[in-house]
Amino acid sequence: MKSHRLPIVFITVLSLSAHIVSGGKVLVFPIDGSHWVNMNILIEALHAKGHTVDVIRSAGSWYIKESSPHYTSITREQGGGFDEDFLRALTTDLLRIQADGESSWKRLKVEMELMEKGVEMTQMEVDMLTAMLDDHQFMQFLKEAKYDLVLADPVSPIGPILAHYLSLPLVFNVRWTAHSEGHFAIAPSPLSYVPMPLFELTDKMSFLERVANVFFFAFYEFQAQFLIQPRFAALTNKYFGPDVNYFQLIQGADIWLMRVDFVFEFPRPTMPNVVYMGGFQCKPAKPVPQYLEDFVQSSGEHGVIIMSLGTLVSELPKRIVEEMAAAFAQLPQKVIMRYTGEKPSTLGNNTLLVEWLPQNDLLGHPKTRVFVAHGGTNGVQEAIYHGVPILGVPLMFDQPDNLSRMRAKGAAKVVDIFSVDRDGFLHALKEVLHELSFRENMQRLSRLHRDQPMKPLDRALFWIEFVMRHKGAAHLRTESYKMPWYSYHSVDVVMFLLAVTAMFVTASVFGIKFLCSRICKSKQE
Amino acid sequence: MKSHRLPIVFITVLSLSAHIVSGGKVLVFPIDGSHWVNMNILIEALHAKGHTVDVIRSAGSWYIKESSPHYTSITREQGGGFDEDFLRALTTDLLRIQADGESSWKRLKVEMELMEKGVEMTQMEVDMLTAMLDDHQFMQFLKEAKYDLVLADPVSPIGPILAHYLSLPLVFNVRWTAHSEGHFAIAPSPLSYVPMPLFELTDKMSFLERVANVFFFAFYEFQAQFLIQPRFAALTNKYFGPDVNYFQLIQGADIWLMRVDFVFEFPRPTMPNVVYMGGFQCKPAKPVPQYLEDFVQSSGEHGVIIMSLGTLVSELPKRIVEEMAAAFAQLPQKVIMRYTGEKPSTLGNNTLLVEWLPQNDLLGHPKTRVFVAHGGTNGVQEAIYHGVPILGVPLMFDQPDNLSRMRAKGAAKVVDIFSVDRDGFLHALKEVLHELSFRENMQRLSRLHRDQPMKPLDRALFWIEFVMRHKGAAHLRTESYKMPWYSYHSVDVVMFLLAVTAMFVTASVFGIKFLCSRICKSKQE
């Protein structure tokens, strides 16, 4: 690793002399799975700019490799987050819950199960953190390393809590925080037009949708205040005293690098320390391997359909795959299907089953017509970048919500993978293939997304280095989160004004009564 | 003008080929005075990029010249805003009101006088607009010119209303809107930490300051809703029908180019279509004329003090100038004082009286120690850019508020010019000269301000051209302003939920009562 660094620093100095931070030291607390894929892009870019990166990982880590040319790993038995076994079990669980849910009643049951799961995971994280903070040798090692900043994914509480412990500036690489959407944690979010995440609501809601939005918000607030916060309270109390609470540590991050932009997201209030880097991982397509190119070219004027359901889910219930393959088989298009499970019996001649595919390069291929996707943020951003309309088959997490955004913008159709049969799926496929509006809308989004004054990745790097140069970004961050809730919402002021008004009215009434009685008296006299 | 354009377009094509808009047409509605100085910078830059600019001005215009190499003017007898006579009379009036005000009671009186003035100006604007919209020949001329966008200063309602009439995208070059701070018009602004403009409050307020902030907000809301809005209602009703209201036309602007940044402003919520270009007019200092350089160099190690009170005010009450000059005379520093009135009798040998000075170049001079300034946004931003601490002598408008921001950041001291004597002024000058923290804080602000991924002017131009390329920026702009207030604030949802709860409670109580009575009855039987 060392041998790589010198010449790269040299190039950077030449091209960006005004902004150079010579050899910063970054400590990273990532999340495993697809989130790591994103974090790794930032890490590679930081390394290319001459910074040293240390990454904390678990021994059982899944995607986060122990050795890399771009970072030095710090492996802990139980400490860098959940390991592969846990995450695989979690997704299987979630798939089952999701496949169950249909009626509102079941939906509520699903939410309850998810809530329980969340609380259980929180407890595991608290235990991990306690073990870490009590490992004095390890903490001493981190202190002596003299990092310039902590780069963390706020899905895990480890980054913010350790950054505070080490008194280091904190930059988030964020899609969600642990217990709510990132934006809700820091920017005022009027529930009338800012939809709560996860519920497929848009920025234009009917009255009943707005009622639901308020209800969901209350539900999550309840969860955060009464189920999550108390579990962290003992921890923050012990290590930081009673004045520091967990949510304040999250809200106190210097910079939030959001993995969305306003082509993807609905317009909404934001804060000066939020930097939008949605699509930062996107890049022009490279040529695909020859066997794929041959297959793609064989589609002729019909073009190809790409199907991929992301990193966490490798196998789907057999029935679903059979139905999808059967629908694909009836199309004149060629289909490239990423799937590692048993080969479906309905697989057509036009469908190529692959264990992995160069998603970005295929999405950028001129013959690609439709992207059949589960709706992870990365895939959706790549589809936007390349202007390929989506047929969405959401599975879990934020996927239904991501896809509902594309649907609202007319760039995607969404089907319920758990209930659709081959005819329904075929019908949806044909719609996205043949109704021009899907393609036109996605290409418009693509034009808007690409028309930025600066590449999203460069913007992200600028702000990470900014935080290193200035040891934070306090001037961009409000400290209003330190106010008690009744002050933040001006409840105390309103109560005061009401009290003053009441006193004034009471005094007036008594005054008038008193005067009247005097007048009456004097008349009687 | 035409002869200039071709080679410039050519250069632009070479350097920015990805983002070029070939020869856009921009219609500008400026505000006279210091606001025009800002607008003209944008116009020059747009012209340099190959765009055609037409500017609407009044025949009696003060700063807005009829002929320019950068724009074509469209002169109307009464139509491009207030003329020189009106503006001069206004500032004299305001100075008198300001000089009067001291006690809270007088302060309230001042506010009332200002409110009356505002209402009067609104009526004049409504009359101007009506005359313009009824001038069919003129409106036809504007329609046929096929502009790509309207660039306007929202201090005047002319820009937004004409943009709507002509169905053109709208970009604001904005410090304030006509009747409130720009941010308050579009971004949620919790009154607990977002100070109302004009009252010298900060983002960290005491309880009583928060009470005052809520009170000021209510006062301005009252003014806007009951004094301003009704005056526009007849106009918007007549030309656009009952569904369009004046404030919505302002809130519907595609891009807000704000003439502040978060080095100047306190951190606060913002919106995706707000672009911060604070300091866009700042540039490195050029050498000053020889006679000034000689004067500056003669100051030796003591350095110089620059004093300038802006474009609108040329003369101050005599007593004030005498006191200031007397204080300057007691310093070892040299002083360059911009003042066009009668020479003060107390003027020292160390003070050079000038009618005009190259403010930016002098602020950037290494010998400059302190900037004595009235606190206009431009001057404050230039002081930040060059890192020169300020002794503030605010006169009117937003000046006290601008300076209070610098004071809160430890980069300025502020004195009340209407009450301070020579000793008080001298004491304040010495403090800013000798207490290192003022200079250190301003230099820190300067470093933060200059450390941006893109120059503010380039960012502004990018977004103006973006709006031309995409015929607006709808994806960055919430349309929540179209909701009724009770929906926007979820009042209807809360009422509904309360009603449901009440019904549920009532039903339960009656149910229990009924059950009890049945049980009692059956027991009795």
Side-chain angles (χ1 to χ4, degrees):
Chain A
M1 187 174 153
K2 284 247 165 191
S3 61
H4 280 138
R5 215 172 307 147
L6 266 176
I8 291 164
V9 170
F10 181 66
I11 294 166
T12 321
V13 169
L14 278 183
S15 62
L16 261 172
S17 58
H19 291 314
I20 189 67
V21 178
S22 59
K25 276 192 86 171
V26 180
L27 180 62
V28 179
F29 291 95
I31 286 287
D32 215 333
S34 62
H35 284 228
W36 166 252
V37 176
N38 285 311
M39 189 61 101
N40 202 23
I41 291 167
L42 281 187
I43 290 171
E44 281 186 38
L46 282 171
H47 175 254
K49 294 197 88 183
H51 304 294
T52 310
V53 182
D54 289 359
V55 175
I56 304 221
R57 66 186 282 280
S58 280
S61 194
W62 184 10
Y63 274 71
I64 308 168
K65 298 285 166 272
E66 186 160 13
S67 85
S68 156
H70 308 299
Y71 61 81
T72 306
S73 65
I74 302 172
T75 303
R76 285 181 63 81
E77 202 47 55
Q78 256 290 320
F82 306 108
D83 61 16
E84 176 165 2
D85 294 343
F86 178 84
L87 287 170
R88 280 198 188 273
L90 175 71
T91 53
T92 310
D93 260 22
L94 288 178
L95 258 189
R96 178 193 51 73
I97 295 173
Q98 213 69 22
D100 258 23
E102 253 309 278
S103 66
S104 306
W105 177 245
K106 277 195 174 167
R107 178 90 207 164
L108 193 67
K109 224 181 108 225
V110 167
E111 287 304 324
M112 289 302 181
E113 283 201 51
L114 285 175
M115 189 168 80
E116 261 177 55
K117 198 109 222 151
V119 172
E120 182 190 315
M121 285 167 76
T122 301
Q123 192 52 54
M124 285 172 70
E125 285 168 330
V126 168
D127 296 344
M128 271 184 210
L129 262 163
T130 309
M132 204 180 272
L133 291 169
D134 285 341
D135 183 344
H136 297 295
Q137 203 182 345
F138 179 66
M139 295 314 292
Q140 194 57 30
F141 162 78
L142 290 184
K143 270 186 192 159
E144 283 168 7
K146 297 206 180 303
Y147 294 105
D148 291 301
L149 67 79
V150 167
L151 176 61
D153 190 318
V155 164
S156 154
I158 299 181
I161 287 181
L162 262 73
H164 188 78
Y165 189 91
L166 298 168
S167 307
L168 289 175
L170 174 63
V171 174
F172 279 149
N173 167 6
V174 55
R175 177 71 182 103
W176 313 97
T177 60
H179 310 296
S180 78
E181 194 228 345
H183 274 118
F184 271 86
I186 46 167
S189 308
L191 289 166
S192 52
Y193 71 96
V194 183
M196 278 292 293
L198 301 184
F199 300 102
E200 303 179 51
L201 297 167
T202 74
D203 60 340
K204 295 192 179 63
M205 292 178 264
S206 68
F207 178 75
L208 284 180
E209 283 173 331
R210 288 193 291 114
V211 171
N213 204 37
V214 169
F215 181 80
F216 294 145
F217 175 78
F219 179 77
Y220 274 87
E221 268 300 293
F222 167 83
Q223 205 172 324
Q225 295 302 329
F226 297 101
L227 300 180
I228 307 298
Q229 166 69 15
R231 282 181 169 71
F232 282 107
L235 185 90
T236 50
N237 240 328
K238 178 174 168 193
Y239 296 98
F240 308 128
D243 292 340
V244 174
N245 95 37
Y246 168 60
F247 288 116
Q248 288 182 2
L249 294 182
I250 300 236
Q251 288 168 301
D254 288 277
I255 294 284
W256 297 64
L257 302 171
M258 290 276 179
R259 294 200 295 270
V260 294
D261 63 10
F262 290 102
V263 172
F264 173 90
E265 189 53 271
F266 300 118
R268 52 149 296 148
T270 174
M271 294 299 284
N273 61 335
V274 177
V275 175
Y276 297 90
M277 60 163 191
F280 72 111
Q281 81 280 18
C282 299
K283 40 184 184 249
K286 292 189 304 288
V288 296
Q290 196 56 48
Y291 76 97
L292 277 181
E293 181 63 29
D294 291 345
F295 182 77
V296 167
Q297 288 303 342
S298 74
S299 69
E301 62 179 19
H302 295 298
V304 293
I305 294 167
I306 312 295
M307 170 175 154
S308 172
L309 304 185
T311 46
L312 272 181
V313 181
S314 47
E315 291 183 34
L316 280 174
K318 195 176 172 192
R319 190 198 63 78
I320 292 173
V321 185
E322 294 279 333
E323 294 297 306
M324 289 172 90
F328 285 141
Q330 293 178 54
L331 287 171
Q333 280 75 22
K334 297 280 169 124
V335 181
I336 303 176
M337 185 171 173
R338 180 184 174 193
Y339 183 66
T340 55
E342 197 188 321
K343 183 178 164 182
S345 65
T346 52
L347 198 76
N349 283 336
N350 66 338
T351 306
L352 182 68
L353 218 57
V354 292
E355 294 210 348
W356 177 87
L357 51 78
Q359 184 168 299
N360 184 64
D361 302 332
L362 279 172
L363 285 175
H365 199 289
K367 283 221 181 281
T368 301
R369 296 287 176 270
V370 174
F371 182 32
V372 179
H374 67 314
T377 314
N378 288 349
V380 172
Q381 286 281 9
E382 284 170 23
I384 291 174
Y385 180 84
H386 293 293
V388 178
I390 297 176
L391 176 59
V393 287
L395 301 172
M396 61 181 74
F397 301 133
D398 54 346
Q399 296 156 13
D401 209 43
N402 292 341
L403 288 168
S404 80
R405 275 155 176 64
M406 291 301 104
R407 179 174 52 202
K409 292 166 193 223
K413 188 167 172 74
V414 182
V415 294
D416 178 8
I417 199 175
F418 302 107
S419 67
V420 77
D421 63 3
R422 63 189 69 186
D423 293 337
F425 191 66
L426 180 65
H427 184 260
L429 267 170
K430 283 187 172 165
E431 215 176 302
V432 183
L433 275 166
H434 301 306
E435 264 183 34
L436 277 182
S437 67
F438 288 105
R439 190 164 197 86
E440 281 166 2
N441 284 324
M442 194 54 119
Q443 300 230 323
R444 186 177 52 79
L445 295 184
S446 181
R447 282 194 299 278
L448 289 174
H449 171 73
R450 284 165 177 251
D451 196 359
Q452 297 189 44
M454 197 175 177
K455 287 202 181 103
L457 180 58
D458 291 338
R459 192 159 51 232
L461 291 173
F462 175 87
W463 287 107
I464 294 174
E465 293 191 328
F466 182 97
V467 169
M468 291 198 221
R469 280 192 291 274
H470 302 281
K471 307 198 183 314
H475 69 300
L476 299 176
R477 182 191 64 190
T478 167
E479 294 202 336
S480 60
Y481 59 84
K482 290 182 180 167
M483 301 174 102
W485 66 267
Y486 51 83
S487 299
Y488 180 94
H489 295 288
S490 295
V491 176
D492 50 0
V493 170
V494 170
M495 298 303 270
F496 173 78
L497 290 176
L498 286 179
V500 168
T501 312
M503 273 166 61
F504 181 77
V505 170
T506 313
S508 307
V509 169
F510 273 93
I512 291 167
K513 269 193 177 172
F514 178 72
L515 278 177
C516 283
S517 70
R518 288 296 291 260
I519 291 165
C520 293
K521 231 183 217 173
S522 63
K523 273 191 182 168
Q524 285 171 351
E525 281 168 3
Chain B
M1 187 175 153
K2 283 247 163 189
S3 61
H4 281 136
R5 215 173 307 148
L6 265 177
I8 291 165
V9 171
F10 181 65
I11 293 167
T12 320
V13 168
L14 280 182
S15 62
L16 262 171
S17 57
H19 291 313
I20 190 67
V21 178
S22 59
K25 276 191 87 173
V26 180
L27 181 61
V28 179
F29 291 95
I31 286 288
D32 213 333
S34 63
H35 284 227
W36 165 253
V37 176
N38 286 312
M39 189 62 101
N40 202 23
I41 292 168
L42 282 187
I43 291 172
E44 281 187 38
L46 283 169
H47 175 254
K49 294 196 88 181
H51 304 295
T52 310
V53 181
D54 289 358
V55 175
I56 303 221
R57 65 187 281 281
S58 280
S61 194
W62 183 10
Y63 273 70
I64 309 169
K65 300 281 165 276
E66 185 159 13
S67 85
S68 157
H70 309 299
Y71 61 82
T72 305
S73 65
I74 301 172
T75 304
R76 285 181 64 81
E77 202 48 55
Q78 256 290 320
F82 306 107
D83 60 17
E84 176 166 1
D85 294 342
F86 179 84
L87 287 171
R88 280 197 189 271
L90 176 71
T91 52
T92 310
D93 260 21
L94 288 178
L95 259 189
R96 180 192 51 72
I97 296 172
Q98 212 69 21
D100 259 23
E102 252 309 277
S103 66
S104 306
W105 178 245
K106 278 196 174 165
R107 177 92 206 163
L108 193 67
K109 224 181 107 224
V110 169
E111 286 304 325
M112 288 304 180
E113 283 201 51
L114 285 175
M115 189 167 81
E116 262 177 54
K117 197 109 223 152
V119 171
E120 182 191 316
M121 285 167 76
T122 301
Q123 192 51 53
M124 284 172 70
E125 286 168 331
V126 168
D127 296 343
M128 272 184 210
L129 263 162
T130 309
M132 204 181 270
L133 291 169
D134 283 342
D135 182 344
H136 298 296
Q137 203 182 345
F138 179 65
M139 295 313 293
Q140 194 57 31
F141 162 79
L142 290 184
K143 269 186 192 157
E144 283 169 6
K146 298 210 181 300
Y147 294 104
D148 291 301
L149 68 82
V150 168
L151 177 61
D153 190 318
V155 163
S156 154
I158 299 181
I161 287 182
L162 262 76
H164 188 78
Y165 188 93
L166 298 168
S167 307
L168 288 174
L170 175 62
V171 175
F172 279 149
N173 169 6
V174 55
R175 176 71 182 101
W176 312 96
T177 60
H179 309 295
S180 76
E181 194 229 342
H183 275 117
F184 271 86
I186 46 168
S189 308
L191 289 166
S192 52
Y193 71 97
V194 184
M196 279 292 292
L198 302 185
F199 300 101
E200 303 180 50
L201 296 167
T202 74
D203 61 339
K204 294 189 180 68
M205 290 177 264
S206 68
F207 177 74
L208 284 180
E209 284 174 333
R210 288 194 290 113
V211 171
N213 203 38
V214 168
F215 181 79
F216 294 144
F217 176 78
F219 178 76
Y220 274 87
E221 267 301 292
F222 168 83
Q223 204 172 324
Q225 295 301 329
F226 297 100
L227 299 179
I228 308 297
Q229 165 71 15
R231 281 180 169 72
F232 282 108
L235 184 93
T236 51
N237 238 330
K238 178 175 169 193
Y239 295 99
F240 309 129
D243 292 341
V244 173
N245 94 38
Y246 168 59
F247 290 115
Q248 286 181 4
L249 294 183
I250 300 237
Q251 288 169 303
D254 289 277
I255 294 284
W256 297 63
L257 302 173
M258 290 275 179
R259 295 202 294 272
V260 293
D261 63 8
F262 289 102
V263 171
F264 173 90
E265 190 53 270
F266 301 118
R268 50 148 300 145
T270 176
M271 293 299 285
N273 61 335
V274 178
V275 175
Y276 296 90
M277 60 164 189
F280 72 110
Q281 82 280 20
C282 300
K283 42 184 182 250
K286 294 191 302 289
V288 296
Q290 196 57 46
Y291 76 98
L292 278 181
E293 181 63 28
D294 291 345
F295 183 76
V296 167
Q297 288 303 341
S298 73
S299 69
E301 62 179 15
H302 295 299
V304 293
I305 294 167
I306 312 295
M307 171 177 154
S308 171
L309 304 186
T311 47
L312 271 182
V313 181
S314 48
E315 292 183 33
L316 280 174
K318 196 176 171 196
R319 191 197 62 77
I320 292 174
V321 184
E322 294 278 333
E323 294 296 307
M324 289 172 90
F328 285 141
Q330 294 179 53
L331 288 171
Q333 280 75 23
K334 297 280 169 127
V335 181
I336 302 175
M337 186 171 171
R338 179 183 175 194
Y339 182 65
T340 56
E342 197 188 323
K343 184 177 162 182
S345 65
T346 52
L347 197 76
N349 283 336
N350 65 337
T351 306
L352 182 68
L353 218 58
V354 292
E355 292 210 349
W356 176 87
L357 51 77
Q359 185 168 297
N360 185 63
D361 303 332
L362 278 173
L363 284 174
H365 199 290
K367 283 220 182 283
T368 301
R369 296 287 176 269
V370 175
F371 182 30
V372 179
H374 67 316
T377 314
N378 287 350
V380 172
Q381 286 281 8
E382 285 170 23
I384 292 174
Y385 180 84
H386 292 295
V388 179
I390 296 176
L391 175 60
V393 286
L395 300 173
M396 60 182 71
F397 300 134
D398 54 346
Q399 296 158 11
D401 210 42
N402 292 341
L403 289 168
S404 82
R405 277 156 173 66
M406 291 300 104
R407 180 175 51 202
K409 292 167 192 222
K413 188 167 174 71
V414 182
V415 293
D416 178 8
I417 200 174
F418 301 106
S419 69
V420 78
D421 62 3
R422 63 189 69 186
D423 291 338
F425 191 66
L426 181 66
H427 184 260
L429 267 171
K430 283 187 173 166
E431 214 175 304
V432 183
L433 276 167
H434 301 307
E435 263 184 33
L436 277 180
S437 66
F438 288 104
R439 189 164 196 90
E440 281 166 3
N441 285 324
M442 193 56 117
Q443 300 230 321
R444 185 177 52 79
L445 295 183
S446 181
R447 283 195 299 278
L448 290 173
H449 170 73
R450 285 166 175 248
D451 197 358
Q452 297 189 44
M454 196 173 180
K455 288 204 182 100
L457 180 59
D458 292 338
R459 190 158 54 232
L461 290 173
F462 175 88
W463 286 107
I464 294 174
E465 293 191 327
F466 182 97
V467 169
M468 291 198 223
R469 282 193 290 273
H470 302 281
K471 306 199 185 310
H475 70 299
L476 298 177
R477 183 190 62 191
T478 166
E479 295 201 336
S480 60
Y481 60 83
K482 291 182 180 167
M483 303 174 99
W485 66 268
Y486 51 83
S487 299
Y488 179 93
H489 294 290
S490 295
V491 175
D492 52 358
V493 170
V494 170
M495 297 303 270
F496 173 79
L497 290 175
L498 286 178
V500 168
T501 311
M503 273 167 60
F504 181 77
V505 170
T506 315
S508 305
V509 169
F510 273 92
I512 291 166
K513 270 192 176 172
F514 178 75
L515 278 177
C516 282
S517 69
R518 289 295 291 259
I519 291 166
C520 291
K521 233 183 215 172
S522 63
K523 272 191 181 167
Q524 284 171 351
E525 280 166 7

